[in-house]
Amino acid sequence: MQAAMDDIHLELNHVDTENSDMSIGGDSRFSSYRHRTVSLQRNSLANEMIGLRTMGRYKYHTNTLRSIRSPEDADTIVNQIQENVAKADDEQQADQLRREALRDMPQSLTIKRQVKQTLMLNEKSRGDNHSTIGCYKWAVYSIIILYSKLKASIYNFLYTFELWYLILKTLEGQFGSAVATFFRFFRSLFFLNLFTLVPTFFFIVLPQILQSNFGDEVVVDQESFSPADIFTGEGSLTNSVLFYGHYTNETIKLAKYEYDMPYAYLFTMFVSYVIGFIVLSYSTAKSFRKNFIETKGGSKNVFAHKIFCSWDFGIATEDAATLKSSVIYHELRELLDQWNSPRTKASCASRFFTVCTNFAVNLLILFVLMGIAFGMWILLDKNRLNDDNEHIGMITAVVINVTILVFPLFFTIVGFCEDYKSPRNSFFVNLTRTILLEIVVIGILVAYWITSASKVECWETCLGQEIYRLVIFEFIFSIVFLPMTEIVRFLLNKNFPSTFDPPEFNINRYTLQILYNQTLFWIGLYFSPLLSAIVVLKLFVSWYLTTFTVLHCCKPSSKTWRAAQTETLFLIMAFLNLIMVMTCLGYVVASVETSGCGPFRSFEYVYNLVKEGILGLEQGQTILKTIIYVTKPGVVALIILMMCMGVYYLDAKSRAQDAMVKLLRNMLINEAKDKEFLLTRISLATQGS
């Protein structure tokens, strides 16, 4: 801790020198340096300003000269500034040189304010000499300024209605950035699903409801409703708008309007998945650039910036000030823990033991995942063969959800054997293993029903019912099992504090739950359009239950760590899940035969609707031959290889630019050292004279 505090003092003492002479890590400082070296004349003017910039150092190092303290001394500085900028080419260049001279003077803020006010008065008195801009430029500038103000006003207005803003700030203040990052990711998925609900309901579900109740052929359900149907998705819900098989393959006619359901179903699903893909890809790329690329060279003066630049001066209430202070405290604690983390080099024997332990643990987890996949396949096959038993479907859903809940705890216990030094590394490894568990479970589920397509009358509805049951029981477990576990541990700690520890918020387990739920939603949306409403309601209820449990029953983690890159990891996981789901659905659309139900029952493959109905392609056409040729595995592999070569080229170019940046940084450091040496010699020479 003492070393970290010493580092803070050193950074505070040298922050001005580093910002002005020795660093190009920030874009503004690097662009300023590059701008000052555009021409030889600008360089000469900048060099002439060195004497002015170092005038304070002369007075500081020279005992015979008095310090600058009076307004008359400020006038002397102003006159010297005006003399040095008189040779500037234009007023813009002169203004920049004045600002640089004012910034680099090692004087008090009082003197700098006096100099600035005097310069502003002189500028106003010389206002007649300034050139005026034309009407066109003035109009353009006015529009740009008006647009910027309007944009800022809209953003400020929207921020006042930001959903769950206060809860997020409270979580960040009490539990740190890692927990707050998880809940921000939770909220982003809620909004994404809410956006998906709107088109699927208005363009698919609502037209089918109108057709079933007010169309030419009114559909009447023959089966009576049973409360068990809510949990199984069978009975009266089988032939309802909840599942794929209920939707018609004909044109809906309401009065004089016609609505083609097959085209609307396919186009709405396509737009929903593509928009989700675009939103996630943009968010992932933005987060990756912010947390990995822009911070690749390492952050400078992090302690000084965190102490002096973290406070929000727009805070107007005591509660907000207390909350902001808590947030800054946790951020400083995370930085100090990262700074004080041990950096000892392990011995060869210790590294060998660690590698062997990691290999054994990963091999064990691999066999466990293979066993889960095999057991799930047998369970699903038994479910299909015993279709008459109405409870077998619920048993399958319960077993799968219990697997999702229990085995992450097993992965966490096994992970203790690996003894990771960094809590962030342990979190990343456990999260990756839990995501693999989720991929295995959902992958086996989808693969089984696709391979059983020819054996089931309406396999799309059966798959939709299977996913519906998983979502329902996952909803029950997430609102009953997880919160009750935390509450029971909290009560035990309250009554027996010496025996039981209070619970900590397990980000691994909750992240698995939300990603598992989101992947089920993406894979089930195509087979159950109304599933989006169920998932949105589930996330809304889960948000309040989870935040209540965290705020009232959990304690902050004993091992703090910065979560700057955790948000990027969450987004990457969700993005990869979406890509796998879209790949699977693409295979279903192109290669799996449709059954005798649903909006595409008139086509052998859903792809035929796209090929014949939308694109109007027939067998033997040149465009169709080109599409078939381009989609061959060899051509696709060649395209992927070319993309990999492009990525390799861009990576090599980035590495070369990093090397150039390091070279320029070293050049600036050497130049700063030369300046310091010359200033020292000049000071000694002045004292000797």
Side-chain angles (χ1 to χ4, degrees):
M1 182 69 73
Q2 183 63 33
M5 298 305 297
D6 293 339
D7 179 78
I8 294 175
H9 289 298
L10 288 175
E11 286 186 7
L12 296 181
N13 290 333
H14 294 84
V15 65
D16 289 336
T17 306
E18 289 183 359
N19 286 343
S20 61
D21 295 324
M22 298 177 61
S23 175
I24 60 171
D27 294 337
S28 60
R29 294 192 295 271
F30 181 64
S31 60
S32 176
Y33 171 80
R34 183 172 54 190
H35 185 67
R36 290 199 301 270
T37 57
V38 171
S39 63
L40 292 176
Q41 185 177 6
R42 291 292 298 274
N43 280 336
S44 62
L45 287 172
N47 290 331
E48 290 179 8
M49 295 296 293
I50 292 178
L52 176 62
R53 295 174 189 174
T54 59
M55 182 174 59
R57 291 189 179 95
Y58 284 140
K59 296 184 177 296
Y60 181 78
H61 290 296
T62 305
N63 296 326
T64 57
L65 297 177
R66 60 188 178 88
S67 300
I68 297 178
R69 294 178 181 177
S70 62
E72 291 78 9
D73 296 325
D75 294 336
T76 304
I77 297 176
V78 171
N79 295 332
Q80 196 163 357
I81 290 176
Q82 298 293 2
E83 292 177 1
N84 282 274
V85 302
K87 300 179 181 180
D89 292 336
D90 51 23
E91 189 63 29
Q92 183 179 2
Q93 182 181 358
D95 290 339
Q96 182 176 356
L97 291 176
R98 292 189 193 97
R99 288 194 298 269
E100 291 175 357
L102 185 62
R103 180 194 64 192
D104 295 338
M105 284 190 306
Q107 296 297 329
S108 64
L109 288 176
T110 303
I111 297 297
K112 287 188 176 183
R113 289 193 187 100
Q114 293 177 355
V115 172
K116 183 178 180 180
Q117 291 175 359
T118 307
L119 287 173
M120 292 176 62
L121 292 175
N122 292 340
E123 288 297 314
K124 290 181 180 180
S125 62
R126 296 188 300 107
D128 297 335
N129 298 330
H130 290 187
S131 59
T132 59
I133 61 175
C135 295
Y136 175 75
K137 288 186 177 181
W138 180 84
V140 171
Y141 293 156
S142 300
I143 293 174
I144 293 174
I145 294 173
L146 181 63
Y147 172 76
S148 301
K149 291 182 178 180
L150 180 63
K151 184 178 179 181
S153 301
I154 293 175
Y155 281 163
N156 293 332
F157 178 76
L158 293 177
Y159 285 151
T160 59
F161 295 96
E162 187 176 356
L163 186 62
W164 300 323
Y165 175 81
L166 182 60
I167 297 178
L168 284 174
K169 287 299 180 183
T170 305
L171 289 168
E172 185 176 7
Q174 295 186 14
F175 295 90
S177 58
V179 176
T181 299
F182 165 78
F183 281 99
R184 289 192 184 95
F185 176 67
F186 193 123
R187 185 181 62 175
S188 64
L189 290 183
F190 171 80
F191 283 120
L192 182 62
N193 296 338
L194 184 63
F195 179 80
T196 305
L197 170 63
V198 175
T200 54
F201 179 79
F202 284 101
F203 294 108
I204 297 179
V205 178
L206 184 60
Q208 183 62 42
I209 294 176
L210 295 176
Q211 196 270 344
S212 300
N213 293 277
F214 306 103
D216 297 336
E217 298 181 1
V218 179
V219 179
V220 180
D221 294 335
Q222 300 297 328
E223 298 187 31
S224 59
F225 174 77
S226 174
D229 296 343
I230 299 177
F231 302 98
T232 61
E234 299 175 352
S236 60
L237 296 181
T238 301
N239 190 25
S240 66
V241 292
L242 185 59
F243 297 114
Y244 170 94
H246 178 75
Y247 292 87
T248 181
N249 63 331
E250 299 177 354
T251 301
I252 297 176
K253 296 180 180 180
L254 294 173
K256 59 180 180 179
Y257 300 101
E258 296 184 353
Y259 192 80
D260 199 318
M261 178 56 71
Y263 289 99
Y265 196 101
L266 183 63
F267 183 74
T268 303
M269 289 297 172
F270 175 78
V271 170
S272 299
Y273 283 105
V274 168
I275 290 179
F277 177 83
I278 293 173
V279 170
L280 273 181
S281 59
Y282 174 77
S283 301
T284 304
K286 182 179 179 181
S287 179
F288 184 83
R289 180 180 181 85
K290 176 183 177 182
N291 296 322
F292 285 89
I293 297 178
E294 294 181 356
T295 60
K296 189 175 182 181
S299 302
K300 303 295 182 182
N301 308 320
V302 289
F303 291 105
H305 293 165
K306 190 64 63 178
I307 292 173
F308 292 106
C309 305
S310 296
W311 188 254
D312 183 6
F313 288 92
I315 292 176
T317 62
E318 183 178 356
D319 294 338
T322 304
L323 187 60
K324 186 63 178 178
S325 301
S326 179
V327 171
I328 297 174
Y329 164 76
H330 278 282
E331 290 177 350
L332 286 172
R333 183 184 172 192
E334 293 166 1
L335 287 170
L336 290 173
D337 286 342
Q338 182 180 359
W339 181 270
N340 294 325
S341 60
R343 297 179 176 87
T344 58
K345 187 176 181 181
S347 61
C348 295
S350 177
R351 290 199 299 268
F352 177 77
F353 177 77
T354 301
V355 170
C356 293
T357 304
N358 293 340
F359 177 78
V361 170
N362 290 325
L363 190 63
L364 174 63
I365 291 176
L366 179 61
F367 281 117
V368 169
L369 293 177
M370 293 173 61
I372 292 173
F374 181 73
M376 271 197 60
W377 190 278
I378 294 177
L379 185 63
L380 291 171
D381 194 51
K382 184 178 179 180
N383 181 17
R384 184 180 62 82
L385 295 176
N386 296 275
D387 194 30
D388 296 336
N389 189 350
E390 61 180 6
H391 299 294
I392 191 68
M394 288 193 294
I395 294 174
T396 303
V398 170
V399 170
I400 293 176
N401 281 289
V402 169
T403 301
I404 291 292
L405 284 174
V406 171
F407 278 91
L409 299 178
F410 169 75
F411 294 159
T412 303
I413 295 173
V414 172
F416 290 148
C417 301
E418 297 174 296
D419 191 23
Y420 287 101
K421 303 300 181 184
S422 172
R424 178 172 10 185
N425 294 338
S426 177
F427 168 74
F428 287 167
V429 171
N430 288 329
L431 181 60
T432 304
R433 290 168 179 169
T434 53
I435 295 302
L436 287 177
L437 172 65
E438 172 242 329
I439 292 173
V440 168
V441 170
I442 298 179
I444 292 297
L445 177 67
V446 176
Y448 176 82
W449 283 109
I450 289 178
T451 55
S452 303
S454 60
K455 305 175 185 178
V456 183
E457 181 180 356
C458 187
W459 67 270
E460 296 95 342
T461 297
C462 292
L463 178 57
Q465 289 174 332
E466 199 72 56
I467 295 175
Y468 170 81
R469 286 192 289 265
L470 291 176
V471 171
I472 292 297
F473 280 95
E474 196 274 334
F475 184 21
I476 295 173
F477 287 166
S478 63
I479 66 174
V480 175
F481 179 77
L482 292 179
M484 286 302 299
T485 303
E486 309 294 353
I487 292 173
V488 169
R489 292 181 60 187
F490 171 75
L491 293 176
L492 290 174
N493 171 260
K494 185 177 181 180
N495 296 319
F496 308 98
S498 60
T499 306
F500 296 95
D501 294 329
E504 294 183 2
F505 183 71
N506 192 333
I507 300 180
N508 285 335
R509 185 171 58 183
Y510 282 91
T511 303
L512 172 65
Q513 289 296 118
I514 191 173
L515 287 177
Y516 170 66
N517 175 82
Q518 189 64 29
T519 308
L520 285 177
F521 165 70
W522 279 329
I523 198 67
L525 179 63
Y526 179 81
F527 306 101
S528 178
L530 204 56
L531 190 65
S532 55
I534 299 173
V535 171
V536 168
L537 177 62
K538 172 191 176 302
L539 291 178
F540 186 80
V541 176
S542 298
W543 170 274
Y544 284 101
L545 287 175
T546 307
T547 53
F548 175 82
T549 304
V550 173
L551 290 174
H552 295 86
C553 301
C554 296
K555 71 170 184 178
S557 176
S558 57
K559 295 182 179 180
T560 58
W561 49 280
R562 297 187 66 197
Q565 298 174 348
T566 308
E567 181 183 5
T568 306
L569 179 64
F570 290 159
L571 291 172
I572 290 175
M573 294 291 185
F575 183 65
L576 292 178
N577 285 346
L578 180 58
I579 289 178
M580 289 187 289
V581 168
M582 295 179 68
T583 303
C584 178
L585 293 178
Y587 175 78
V588 170
V589 168
S591 303
V592 180
E593 295 184 5
T594 59
S595 62
C597 64
F600 309 116
R601 71 189 75 172
S602 302
F603 301 91
E604 183 179 4
Y605 299 97
V606 181
Y607 174 70
N608 292 337
L609 175 65
V610 181
K611 183 180 68 174
E612 300 172 5
I614 299 177
L615 300 179
L617 301 178
E618 298 180 358
Q619 196 69 27
Q621 288 186 351
T622 306
I623 299 178
L624 182 59
K625 291 180 179 179
T626 304
I627 294 175
I628 295 175
Y629 177 78
V630 171
T631 54
K632 287 183 177 180
V635 179
V636 173
L638 180 61
I639 294 174
I640 294 176
L641 180 61
M642 294 176 63
M643 293 175 64
C644 292
M645 293 175 60
V647 171
Y648 176 78
Y649 168 75
L650 293 176
D651 182 69
K653 186 177 179 181
S654 175
R655 293 177 184 274
Q657 291 177 349
D658 290 339
M660 181 58 67
V661 168
K662 292 179 181 178
L663 178 62
L664 293 174
R665 182 180 288 114
N666 292 331
M667 291 174 60
L668 285 179
I669 291 174
N670 293 332
E671 182 180 353
K673 291 180 179 179
D674 293 340
K675 288 182 179 180
E676 191 69 25
F677 173 76
L678 292 175
L679 290 173
T680 303
R681 302 298 296 178
I682 292 173
S683 177
L684 293 175
T686 305
Q687 291 177 1
S689 62

